[in-house]
Coordinates of all heavy atoms in Angstrom, one line a residue:
M344 N -2.0 3.9 -21.2 CA -1.6 2.8 -20.2 C -2.6 1.6 -20.5 O -3.8 1.8 -20.6 CB -1.9 3.3 -18.8 CG -1.3 2.4 -17.7 SD -1.5 3.0 -16.0 CE -0.7 4.6 -16.1
S345 N -2.0 0.5 -20.6 CA -2.7 -0.7 -20.9 C -3.5 -1.2 -19.8 O -3.3 -0.9 -18.6 CB -1.8 -1.8 -21.5 OG -1.0 -2.3 -20.4
A346 N -4.5 -2.1 -20.0 CA -5.4 -2.6 -19.0 C -4.6 -3.5 -18.0 O -4.9 -3.5 -16.8 CB -6.5 -3.4 -19.6
S347 N -3.6 -4.2 -18.5 CA -2.8 -5.1 -17.6 C -2.0 -4.2 -16.6 O -1.8 -4.6 -15.5 CB -1.9 -6.0 -18.4 OG -1.0 -5.3 -19.1
T348 N -1.5 -3.1 -17.1 CA -0.7 -2.2 -16.3 C -1.6 -1.6 -15.2 O -1.2 -1.5 -14.0 CB 0.0 -1.1 -17.1 OG1 0.8 -1.7 -18.1 CG2 0.8 -0.2 -16.2
K349 N -2.8 -1.2 -15.6 CA -3.7 -0.7 -14.6 C -4.1 -1.7 -13.5 O -4.1 -1.4 -12.4 CB -5.0 -0.2 -15.3 CG -4.8 1.1 -16.1 CD -6.1 1.5 -16.7 CE -5.9 2.8 -17.6 NZ -7.1 3.2 -18.1
S350 N -4.3 -2.9 -14.0 CA -4.6 -4.0 -13.0 C -3.5 -4.3 -12.1 O -3.7 -4.5 -10.9 CB -5.0 -5.2 -13.8 OG -6.2 -5.0 -14.5
T351 N -2.3 -4.2 -12.6 CA -1.1 -4.5 -11.8 C -0.9 -3.4 -10.7 O -0.7 -3.6 -9.6 CB 0.2 -4.6 -12.6 OG1 0.0 -5.6 -13.6 CG2 1.4 -4.9 -11.8
L352 N -1.1 -2.1 -11.1 CA -1.0 -1.0 -10.2 C -2.1 -1.1 -9.1 O -1.8 -0.8 -7.9 CB -1.1 0.3 -10.9 CG 0.1 0.8 -11.8 CD1 -0.2 2.0 -12.5 CD2 1.3 0.9 -10.9
K353 N -3.3 -1.4 -9.5 CA -4.4 -1.6 -8.5 C -4.1 -2.7 -7.5 O -4.3 -2.6 -6.3 CB -5.7 -1.9 -9.2 CG -6.3 -0.7 -9.9 CD -7.6 -1.0 -10.6 CE -8.1 0.2 -11.4 NZ -9.3 -0.2 -12.1
L354 N -3.5 -3.8 -8.1 CA -3.2 -5.0 -7.2 C -2.1 -4.6 -6.2 O -2.1 -4.9 -5.0 CB -2.7 -6.2 -8.1 CG -2.3 -7.4 -7.3 CD1 -3.5 -8.0 -6.6 CD2 -1.7 -8.4 -8.3
I355 N -1.1 -3.9 -6.7 CA 0.0 -3.4 -5.8 C -0.5 -2.5 -4.7 O -0.2 -2.6 -3.5 CB 1.1 -2.7 -6.6 CG1 1.8 -3.7 -7.5 CG2 2.1 -2.0 -5.7 CD1 2.8 -3.1 -8.5
A356 N -1.4 -1.6 -5.1 CA -2.0 -0.7 -4.1 C -2.8 -1.4 -3.0 O -2.8 -1.2 -1.8 CB -2.9 0.4 -4.8
I357 N -3.6 -2.4 -3.5 CA -4.4 -3.2 -2.5 C -3.5 -4.0 -1.6 O -3.8 -4.1 -0.4 CB -5.4 -4.1 -3.3 CG1 -6.5 -3.3 -4.0 CG2 -6.0 -5.2 -2.4 CD1 -7.3 -4.0 -5.0
V358 N -2.4 -4.6 -2.1 CA -1.5 -5.3 -1.3 C -0.9 -4.4 -0.2 O -0.8 -4.8 1.0 CB -0.5 -6.1 -2.1 CG1 0.7 -6.6 -1.3 CG2 -1.1 -7.2 -2.9
I359 N -0.5 -3.2 -0.6 CA 0.1 -2.3 0.3 C -0.9 -1.9 1.4 O -0.6 -1.9 2.6 CB 0.6 -1.0 -0.4 CG1 1.8 -1.3 -1.3 CG2 0.9 0.1 0.6 CD1 2.2 -0.2 -2.2
V360 N -2.1 -1.6 1.0 CA -3.2 -1.3 2.0 C -3.4 -2.4 3.0 O -3.5 -2.2 4.2 CB -4.5 -0.8 1.3 CG1 -5.6 -0.7 2.3 CG2 -4.2 0.5 0.6
L361 N -3.6 -3.6 2.5 CA -3.8 -4.8 3.3 C -2.6 -5.0 4.3 O -2.8 -5.3 5.5 CB -4.1 -6.0 2.5 CG -5.4 -6.1 1.8 CD1 -5.5 -7.3 0.9 CD2 -6.5 -6.0 2.7
L362 N -1.4 -4.8 3.8 CA -0.3 -5.0 4.7 C -0.2 -3.9 5.8 O 0.0 -4.3 6.9 CB 1.0 -4.9 3.8 CG 2.3 -5.0 4.6 CD1 2.5 -6.4 5.2 CD2 3.5 -4.7 3.7
M363 N -0.6 -2.7 5.4 CA -0.6 -1.6 6.5 C -1.7 -1.8 7.5 O -1.6 -1.6 8.7 CB -0.7 -0.3 5.8 CG 0.5 0.2 5.0 SD 2.0 0.2 6.0 CE 2.9 -1.1 5.3
V364 N -2.9 -2.3 7.0 CA -4.0 -2.6 8.0 C -3.6 -3.8 8.9 O -3.8 -3.7 10.1 CB -5.3 -3.0 7.2 CG1 -6.3 -3.5 8.1 CG2 -5.8 -1.7 6.5
A365 N -2.9 -4.8 8.4 CA -2.5 -5.9 9.2 C -1.4 -5.4 10.2 O -1.4 -5.9 11.4 CB -1.9 -7.0 8.3
M366 N -0.6 -4.5 9.8 CA 0.4 -3.9 10.7 C -0.3 -3.1 11.8 O 0.1 -3.1 13.0 CB 1.5 -3.1 10.0 CG 2.5 -4.0 9.2 SD 3.7 -3.0 8.3 CE 4.5 -2.1 9.7
Q367 N -1.3 -2.4 11.4 CA -2.0 -1.5 12.4 C -2.7 -2.4 13.4 O -2.8 -2.0 14.6 CB -3.0 -0.6 11.7 CG -3.7 0.4 12.6 CD -2.7 1.4 13.1 OE1 -1.8 1.8 12.5 NE2 -3.0 1.9 14.3
L368 N -3.2 -3.5 13.0 CA -3.9 -4.4 13.9 C -3.0 -5.4 14.6 O -3.4 -6.3 15.3 CB -5.0 -5.2 13.1 CG -6.1 -4.4 12.5 CD1 -7.0 -5.3 11.7 CD2 -6.9 -3.7 13.6
N369 N -1.7 -5.2 14.4 CA -0.6 -6.0 15.1 C -0.7 -7.5 14.7 O -0.3 -8.4 15.4 CB -0.7 -5.9 16.6 CG -0.3 -4.5 17.0 OD1 0.6 -3.9 16.4 ND2 -0.9 -4.0 18.1
F370 N -1.2 -7.8 13.5 CA -1.1 -9.2 13.0 C 0.2 -9.5 12.4 O 0.7 -10.6 12.5 CB -2.2 -9.4 11.9 CG -3.6 -9.4 12.4 CD1 -4.6 -8.8 11.6 CD2 -3.9 -10.0 13.6 CE1 -5.9 -8.8 12.1 CE2 -5.2 -10.0 14.1 CZ -6.2 -9.4 13.3
I371 N 0.8 -8.5 11.8 CA 2.1 -8.5 11.2 C 3.0 -7.4 11.8 O 2.5 -6.3 11.9 CB 2.1 -8.4 9.7 CG1 1.2 -9.5 9.0 CG2 3.5 -8.4 9.0 CD1 0.9 -9.3 7.6
I372 N 4.2 -7.7 12.1 CA 5.1 -6.6 12.6 C 6.3 -6.6 11.7 O 7.1 -7.5 11.7 CB 5.5 -6.9 14.1 CG1 4.2 -6.9 15.0 CG2 6.5 -5.8 14.5 CD1 4.5 -7.3 16.4
I373 N 6.5 -5.5 11.0 CA 7.7 -5.2 10.2 C 8.3 -3.9 10.7 O 7.8 -2.8 10.3 CB 7.3 -5.2 8.7 CG1 6.6 -6.4 8.2 CG2 8.6 -5.0 7.9 CD1 6.0 -6.4 6.8
P374 N 9.3 -4.0 11.5 CA 9.8 -2.8 12.2 C 10.2 -1.7 11.3 O 10.0 -0.5 11.6 CB 11.0 -3.3 13.0 CG 10.7 -4.8 13.2 CD 10.0 -5.2 12.0
F375 N 10.9 -2.0 10.2 CA 11.5 -1.0 9.4 C 10.4 -0.3 8.5 O 10.6 0.8 8.0 CB 12.6 -1.5 8.5 CG 12.2 -2.5 7.5 CD1 11.7 -2.2 6.2 CD2 12.3 -3.9 7.8 CE1 11.3 -3.2 5.3 CE2 11.9 -4.8 7.0 CZ 11.4 -4.5 5.7
L376 N 9.2 -0.8 8.4 CA 8.1 -0.2 7.7 C 7.2 0.6 8.7 O 6.3 1.4 8.2 CB 7.3 -1.2 6.9 CG 7.9 -1.8 5.7 CD1 6.9 -2.8 5.0 CD2 8.3 -0.7 4.7
A377 N 7.3 0.4 10.0 CA 6.4 0.9 10.9 C 6.4 2.5 10.9 O 5.4 3.1 11.1 CB 6.7 0.4 12.3
A378 N 7.5 3.0 10.7 CA 7.7 4.5 10.6 C 7.1 5.1 9.4 O 6.8 6.3 9.3 CB 9.1 4.9 10.8
Y379 N 6.8 4.3 8.4 CA 6.4 4.8 7.1 C 4.9 4.4 6.7 O 4.6 4.4 5.5 CB 7.3 4.3 6.0 CG 8.7 4.7 6.2 CD1 9.7 3.8 6.5 CD2 9.1 6.1 6.1 CE1 11.0 4.1 6.8 CE2 10.4 6.4 6.3 CZ 11.4 5.5 6.7 OH 12.7 5.8 6.9
K380 N 4.1 4.1 7.7 CA 2.8 3.6 7.4 C 2.0 4.7 6.6 O 1.3 4.4 5.7 CB 2.0 3.3 8.7 CG 2.4 2.0 9.4 CD 1.6 1.8 10.6 CE 2.1 0.7 11.5 NZ 1.5 0.6 12.7
F381 N 2.1 5.9 7.1 CA 1.3 7.0 6.5 C 1.7 7.2 5.0 O 0.9 7.2 4.1 CB 1.5 8.3 7.2 CG 0.9 9.5 6.5 CD1 -0.5 9.7 6.5 CD2 1.7 10.4 5.8 CE1 -1.0 10.8 5.9 CE2 1.2 11.5 5.2 CZ -0.2 11.7 5.2
W382 N 3.0 7.2 4.8 CA 3.5 7.4 3.4 C 3.2 6.3 2.5 O 3.0 6.5 1.3 CB 5.0 7.8 3.4 CG 5.2 9.1 4.1 CD1 5.8 9.4 5.3 CD2 4.7 10.4 3.6 NE1 5.8 10.7 5.5 CE2 5.1 11.4 4.5 CE3 4.0 10.8 2.4 CZ2 4.8 12.7 4.3 CZ3 3.7 12.1 2.3 CH2 4.1 13.1 3.2
L383 N 3.2 5.1 3.0 CA 2.9 3.9 2.2 C 1.4 4.0 1.8 O 1.0 3.6 0.7 CB 3.2 2.6 2.9 CG 4.7 2.3 2.9 CD1 4.9 1.1 3.9 CD2 5.2 2.0 1.6
M384 N 0.5 4.5 2.7 CA -0.9 4.6 2.4 C -1.1 5.7 1.3 O -1.9 5.6 0.4 CB -1.7 5.0 3.6 CG -1.8 3.8 4.6 SD -2.5 2.3 4.0 CE -4.2 2.8 4.0
V385 N -0.3 6.8 1.4 CA -0.3 7.9 0.4 C 0.1 7.3 -1.0 O -0.5 7.6 -2.0 CB 0.6 9.0 0.8 CG1 0.8 10.0 -0.3 CG2 0.0 9.7 2.0
I386 N 1.2 6.5 -1.0 CA 1.7 5.9 -2.2 C 0.6 5.0 -2.8 O 0.4 5.0 -4.0 CB 3.0 5.1 -2.0 CG1 4.1 6.1 -1.7 CG2 3.3 4.2 -3.2 CD1 5.4 5.5 -1.2
A387 N -0.1 4.2 -2.0 CA -1.2 3.4 -2.5 C -2.3 4.2 -3.1 O -2.8 3.8 -4.1 CB -1.7 2.5 -1.3
A388 N -2.7 5.3 -2.5 CA -3.7 6.1 -3.0 C -3.3 6.7 -4.3 O -4.1 6.8 -5.3 CB -4.1 7.2 -2.0
V389 N -2.1 7.2 -4.4 CA -1.6 7.7 -5.7 C -1.6 6.7 -6.8 O -1.9 6.9 -8.0 CB -0.2 8.3 -5.5 CG1 0.5 8.7 -6.8 CG2 -0.3 9.6 -4.6
L390 N -1.2 5.4 -6.5 CA -1.2 4.4 -7.4 C -2.6 4.1 -7.9 O -2.9 3.9 -9.1 CB -0.6 3.1 -6.8 CG 0.9 3.0 -6.7 CD1 1.3 1.7 -6.0 CD2 1.5 3.1 -8.0
L391 N -3.6 4.1 -7.0 CA -5.0 4.0 -7.5 C -5.5 5.1 -8.3 O -6.2 4.9 -9.3 CB -5.9 3.8 -6.3 CG -5.9 2.5 -5.6 CD1 -6.8 2.5 -4.4 CD2 -6.3 1.4 -6.5
L392 N -5.0 6.3 -8.0 CA -5.4 7.5 -8.9 C -4.8 7.3 -10.3 O -5.4 7.7 -11.3 CB -5.0 8.8 -8.2 CG -5.8 9.2 -7.1 CD1 -5.2 10.5 -6.4 CD2 -7.2 9.6 -7.5
L393 N -3.5 6.9 -10.3 CA -2.9 6.7 -11.6 C -3.5 5.6 -12.4 O -3.6 5.7 -13.7 CB -1.4 6.4 -11.4 CG -0.5 7.5 -11.0 CD1 0.9 7.0 -10.6 CD2 -0.4 8.6 -12.0
A394 N -4.0 4.6 -11.8 CA -4.6 3.4 -12.5 C -6.0 3.7 -12.9 O -6.5 3.0 -13.8 CB -4.6 2.2 -11.6
S395 N -6.7 4.7 -12.4 CA -8.1 5.0 -12.8 C -8.2 5.9 -14.0 O -7.2 6.3 -14.6 CB -8.8 5.6 -11.7 OG -8.3 6.8 -11.3

């Protein structure tokens, strides 16, 4: 896996985590993602594991 791919995966994971934190703090409300907060955090963790 190239360095740019790893960086992209890390960036996607960070964006997902920041979005979920903002949703938890009620700064952003996206109704169709509200039910999947846990699984999106799991996906972000897996992306970070794959990128490392």
Side-chain angles (χ1 to χ4, degrees):
M344 191 178 304
S345 68
S347 64
T348 304
K349 288 182 182 182
S350 296
T351 304
L352 288 177
K353 288 179 184 178
L354 180 65
I355 291 170
I357 290 170
V358 168
I359 291 172
V360 169
L361 289 176
L362 179 65
M363 292 300 109
V364 169
M366 285 179 61
Q367 187 68 31
L368 295 174
N369 293 325
F370 291 141
I371 300 172
I372 298 173
I373 305 174
F375 63 90
L376 289 180
Y379 303 109
K380 286 181 191 174
F381 173 76
W382 291 112
L383 286 171
M384 294 299 283
V385 169
I386 289 170
V389 169
L390 285 175
L391 283 178
L392 285 174
L393 288 173
S395 62

